[in-house]
Amino acid sequence: MPEGGVGHYVGAGQIARADHAECDAQVAGIVAYHERNGYRRGGAYNEHVCQHGGRWLHYTGPNQATGNTWANLNLHAVCAVIGSDDVPTPALLTAMRAAWDEAGGGGWITPHSYWFQTACCGDPLRAWIAAGAPAPGGPAPGPTHRRHNGMTILWINFNSAVYAYLVAGDLTIIKGFDGPTGAYGFPQSALNFAQATNCGMVQMNGAEWKRLLEKNGLV
Ligand SMILES: [Zn+2]
Ligand SMILES: [Zn+2]
């Protein structure tokens, strides 16, 4: 069962087809392109969805979509077959929500850009996901409280500044926190993340800090 879902779009170079009869071939073309370029059988994404509500589930489990090992192993990756200038339709949003829910990852949805520096999955889908990715016409999603299995926010006070990182159990940095500080001088974004995910925050000692930097190639 995935820990959550990730939203993607095809983006630049692709345009959603007006005629649904053409979507099968478009999706097959994307998958074939991935396979030719060294991705696993079935392509980078677990699933595609189109503007007409069509869905193509290629496989479940580990994917190659998100540029982040933990996310690829643990999150159901759904790609909207839209380009950068296409506005997602209600049928697409409904299909995307159903794709995550049926895979078991509907409780926690993030855009690709949460994990990796990218414009994916575009501003309209990102805004929708930030609002909880509700099914159009459906009930508003409830608050999600998910624990990041095996993940912790580690922090250190160094030269009077607090540094905070979400790390996997092997000290791989998943995400850094910065921005305005809140209680105890922590970045408010780290406090919000810990509260929303029930993720623990633990202070690092100097040796752990050194290991974290080395492990992630930051020194
Ligand atoms: Zn993406
Ligand atoms: Zn279609």
Side-chain angles (χ1 to χ4, degrees):
M1 194 82 106
E3 293 284 319
V6 187
H8 297 268
Y9 72 166
V10 181
Q14 288 279 341
I15 301 169
R17 301 292 186 262
D19 183 353
H20 184 54
E22 297 176 10
C23 291
D24 256 331
Q26 188 180 17
V27 170
I30 294 166
V31 170
Y33 175 81
H34 282 175
E35 290 177 345
R36 275 200 307 280
N37 284 279
Y39 285 85
R40 57 161 291 172
R41 188 171 167 79
Y45 308 104
N46 291 116
E47 189 159 352
H48 280 94
V49 296
C50 77
Q51 289 282 58
H52 316 95
R55 287 175 52 191
W56 293 262
L57 176 62
H58 308 298
Y59 56 91
T60 58
N63 57 70
Q64 297 179 320
T66 305
N68 175 285
T69 302
W70 187 88
N72 286 349
L73 291 174
N74 292 288
L75 303 176
H76 190 72
V78 180
C79 181
V81 184
I82 56 174
S84 316
D85 298 326
D86 292 316
V87 177
T89 62
L92 181 142
L93 301 181
T94 301
M96 217 162 180
R97 165 46 74 184
W100 288 316
D101 285 344
E102 286 174 28
W108 183 52
I109 309 299
T110 47
H112 187 180
S113 55
Y114 179 95
W115 301 97
F116 193 83
Q117 191 167 350
T118 171
C120 187
C121 46
D123 288 342
L125 285 177
R126 271 211 296 268
W128 175 64
I129 289 170
T144 55
H145 288 275
R146 293 190 67 85
R147 177 174 260 289
H148 274 239
N149 290 347
M151 302 177 83
T152 314
I153 295 175
L154 288 182
W155 60 276
I156 190 166
N157 191 322
F158 184 70
N159 283 349
S160 303
V162 172
Y163 295 85
Y165 296 97
L166 179 67
V167 302
D170 66 348
L171 289 187
T172 298
I173 293 175
I174 307 298
K175 178 179 170 61
F177 298 95
D178 51 21
T181 55
Y184 317 113
F186 287 111
Q188 187 61 46
S189 56
L191 297 168
N192 293 347
F193 190 92
Q195 189 188 22
T197 61
N198 194 25
C199 180
M201 295 183 75
V202 179
Q203 184 171 18
M204 275 182 281
N205 61 34
E208 287 168 329
W209 175 238
K210 187 163 174 284
R211 256 197 337 128
L212 184 77
L213 296 181
E214 286 169 353
K215 161 92 191 171
N216 291 275
L218 298 175
V219 286

